[in-house]
Amino acid sequence: MTALENVEHGVIVKLEYTLQIEDEMVESTDEEGPIEFLQGYGEIIPGLEAALYGMQIGQEKDVTVDPEDGYGEYDGEAFEEVPLEIFPEDMDLSLGMPVELYDEDADETVEGFIAEIRTDTVMVDLNHPLAGETLNFHVKVVGLRPATPEELEHGHAHGEDGHDHDE
Ligand code: ZN
């Protein structure tokens, strides 16, 4: 056994990062601590994942990610008009509010946010809130460890408490 020294496919990476769009800080691990993920399995956006290969523990880097390698281009067609009545009556709807819609055909839940409230319907924007944005990351690799067989099978990192989700 040798210690892991570089980010490579199939290892668990512990990462600190900040995300800025233009000059505005959008996300940071300063408060909640580093994220952990399985490198190479699409747990994080492709443009960031690709930039991490070969990085060493303690190494820092600035990474700029274009929309197509981040949260996608903004899609002006990606809106869904839904009846107002599908929301609970006591729900206080407001612009920008995140909502989850259930797509019966695909049997899956999609996330969006309220773009417009009309008389009987609500327009839900299904674009990711960061779609179309160029993302400026500053990253620091703070830990590496081998993935467990279960993590590789599931294709994602498990927390330090073990398997704590219900997939
Ligand atoms: Zn799992």
Side-chain angles (χ1 to χ4, degrees), residues 14-20 25-31 33-35 37 44 48 61 71 136-142:
K14 200 178 241 192
L15 191 77
E16 289 178 351
Y17 72 89
T18 58
L19 167 58
Q20 287 185 289
M25 184 71 75
V26 178
E27 277 176 36
S28 165
T29 54
D30 282 357
E31 283 174 25
I35 56 166
F37 56 90
I44 60 171
L48 184 57
K61 196 173 184 179
Y71 292 102
N136 299 301
F137 288 96
H138 184 82
V139 299
K140 181 179 183 183
V141 176
V142 294

Side-chain angles (χ1 to χ4, degrees), residues 84-154:
L84 194 56
E85 66 198 27
I86 70 168
F87 298 99
E89 250 178 74
D90 59 354
M91 196 169 162
D92 200 5
L93 302 176
S94 61
L95 292 182
M97 177 186 270
V99 290
E100 285 190 346
L101 300 179
Y102 176 63
D103 182 342
E104 284 172 19
D105 296 332
D107 187 27
E108 61 180 20
T109 304
V110 293
E111 292 175 29
F113 51 96
I114 294 178
E116 197 183 330
I117 300 168
R118 300 180 176 174
T119 316
D120 297 314
T121 61
V122 173
M123 287 299 281
V124 178
D125 184 347
L126 300 175
N127 285 286
H128 188 280
L130 299 180
E133 303 284 3
T134 297
L135 312 169
N136 299 301
F137 288 96
H138 184 82
V139 299
K140 181 179 183 183
V141 176
V142 294
L144 294 171
R145 67 169 171 85
T148 65
E150 194 183 36
E151 285 173 321
L152 289 170
E153 191 187 315
H154 288 198

Side-chain angles (χ1 to χ4, degrees), residues 44-72:
I44 60 171
I45 57 170
L48 184 57
E49 185 171 70
L52 299 179
Y53 282 103
M55 283 184 74
Q56 298 176 321
I57 294 176
Q59 193 180 345
E60 299 184 40
K61 196 173 184 179
D62 288 315
V63 181
T64 300
V65 177
D66 293 329
E68 72 235 50
D69 298 316
Y71 292 102

Side-chain angles (χ1 to χ4, degrees), residues 67-88:
E68 72 235 50
D69 298 316
Y71 292 102
E73 300 287 355
Y74 189 83
D75 179 359
E77 305 284 302
F79 284 81
E80 183 83 25
E81 186 170 17
V82 298
L84 194 56
E85 66 198 27
I86 70 168
F87 298 99

Side-chain angles (χ1 to χ4, degrees), residues 154 156 158 163 165:
H154 288 198
H156 54 227
H158 291 157
H163 194 259
H165 65 88

